[in-house]
Amino acid sequence: MKISNLLKIILFAISISSCTNEKSKITNASDYNIYLNQTENNNIQLAKTEIEFWQKKYNAAPNQTSYLIQLAGHYTSLFETTFEVNHLYKAEKLLLKVNADLNFSEVGPIRALAKNYITQHRFREALFLANKALKIGEGFKDTQKLLFDVNMELGNYAEAKKNLSKFNNFGDFDYLIRMAKWNDHIGDLPTAISLMEKATKKAEANDNTTLKIWSYSNLGDMYGHAGRISDSYAFYLKTLKEDENNYYALKGIAWIAYSHEKNTEEANRIIDIISKKHNSPDFKLFKAEMAEYNKNETLKNKHIQEYFKSLKSRDYGVMYNKYNAILYADNKKDAVKALEIAYQEIKNRPTPESYDLLAWANYNLGNTKKALDICEKHIVNQSFEPEINYHLAEIYKANKMTDKIKPIKEDLLSSIYELGPNMKEKIEKL
């Protein structure tokens, strides 16, 4: 071959490579730097101003329980904005007082307390309260919506479907988003996305900022799961346009930078900035994952230690049990701790996700037959989560059931973006 022809081939290959890389580049720092550079969070200031206002009103008229409900709502908003868990507990305390003063006779405060317990992952207590509200009878449809939410968290899927049928209305935003959740649960992501898109149009038609923020950020997630990364990015930006301090959307952009573009430097930059304003411990796990991708085991372990340290500094209750169980299970010397957490989670919420923790802990302890038995009874055909399916495939492999692995492996390879690039090599070895 002549040198000139060889050169042409090389240049053509470089050209193709450049085009591919350009197509894979989706994020642009100039799109979102303005949101990272925000020095003040208006959501925090607004919540604090409202808390001060309603506290003064309550101090002047301590018989007005409605003021406590307002206070609880703004403490909840402050928790969502900062992830300072004491604000969530403050809201719980206020709602307990309201309900005690009313002798648990009004559905609004009961449902508000149930939602607080859902956030704390105290699902059985939330279900008890939702059923109490149902017995009172007022606001039947809103209580059915709450029951659907709780039953989905508890793995009571048949009950959840019944709850859904009780407020069937395709013109209702709340119905559409729950139908979307149901379809996602049964593995029908295209239908779930279609329903979420319809819900988003309703939020836009009503110009409801809160619902638009919620819809845009959820669509950002769902588009990512469907491999529509550009759409995912666009909707995270739409979220930020409505809420300049939306940490969730910024974290979603960081995930695109990391998982799709393999740009850990930019992803770390985003996470470093938002973690100074938001106390979510899982930012440490995100950084640990990126350190693993960069083959820096020391840094990975440092971030994991910082994660556990942040859990100790604040009482998050059982909110991080899933993360803890996976971390302990993956470290064989701590797998017994994972087993303990898994049993606690099954008691709290007997879902396929909780049984997955138990199966994975047993697998890492060498109890591969027991792990398989748990999978066959509680997980197979009951969950479509990629992480759970990866665990299932590894358990099949350990039990020499290679014929079961191939279809799972194909699905997992199509879910690398969702799982993260660290999983690619593990999946390919199945």
Side-chain angles (χ1 to χ4, degrees), residues 67-251:
Y67 298 161
L68 293 182
I69 295 171
Q70 290 288 339
L71 274 169
H74 293 300
Y75 272 111
T76 301
S77 297
L78 200 53
F79 162 73
E80 290 168 351
T81 304
T82 65
F83 218 74
E84 178 53 66
V85 75
N86 286 332
H87 297 316
L88 184 64
Y89 297 149
K90 177 68 174 176
E92 178 198 357
K93 189 176 179 182
L94 291 166
L95 290 169
L96 281 168
K97 177 165 175 49
V98 170
N99 280 293
D101 289 348
L102 296 171
N103 198 28
F104 284 85
S105 62
E106 294 188 12
V107 295
I110 292 172
R111 286 197 299 250
L113 182 58
K115 289 173 186 176
N116 181 287
Y117 285 158
I118 289 173
T119 305
Q120 292 187 48
H121 289 203
R122 292 163 63 181
F123 302 115
R124 293 197 181 280
E125 290 165 276
L127 181 62
F128 175 80
L129 289 171
N131 281 320
K132 185 181 279 287
L134 187 66
K135 284 179 183 176
I136 294 170
E138 184 187 340
F140 176 79
K141 286 186 178 178
D142 285 336
T143 300
Q144 289 293 340
K145 291 170 186 177
L146 175 62
L147 279 164
F148 171 83
D149 297 340
V150 181
N151 279 317
M152 286 296 287
E153 294 289 355
L154 285 168
N156 300 334
Y157 302 124
E159 284 299 312
K161 196 172 183 184
K162 285 180 190 175
N163 298 137
L164 200 55
S165 68
K166 299 285 176 61
F167 58 98
N168 186 326
N169 179 4
F170 277 92
D172 179 16
F173 176 89
D174 288 343
Y175 178 74
L176 287 170
I177 63 173
R178 286 169 174 82
M179 271 296 289
K181 183 171 184 176
W182 176 260
N183 279 278
D184 191 28
H185 158 69
I186 63 174
D188 188 353
L189 184 57
T191 299
I193 289 174
S194 176
L195 289 162
M196 187 60 74
E197 287 170 339
K198 286 184 174 68
T200 301
K201 285 176 183 174
K202 293 216 166 280
E204 290 173 334
N206 294 324
D207 198 23
N208 186 315
T209 301
T210 301
L211 297 187
K212 282 195 287 184
I213 292 166
W214 192 92
S215 301
Y216 292 159
S217 60
N218 274 273
L219 265 179
D221 281 353
M222 295 172 87
Y223 285 144
H225 296 166
R228 295 167 59 180
I229 315 301
S230 293
D231 290 333
S232 176
Y233 180 62
F235 271 80
Y236 287 139
L237 291 177
K238 282 168 77 80
T239 306
L240 288 163
K241 194 172 181 181
E242 298 293 332
D243 177 10
E244 296 178 339
N245 297 286
N246 194 287
Y247 87 95
Y248 192 83
L250 287 166
K251 184 184 176 187

Side-chain angles (χ1 to χ4, degrees), residues 18 48 61 125 148 151 211 231 279 295 306 370 394:
S18 298
K48 286 182 175 178
E125 290 165 276
F148 171 83
N151 279 317
L211 297 187
D231 290 333
N279 292 316
K295 311 295 184 190
E306 287 172 350
K370 188 171 183 180
E394 288 285 11

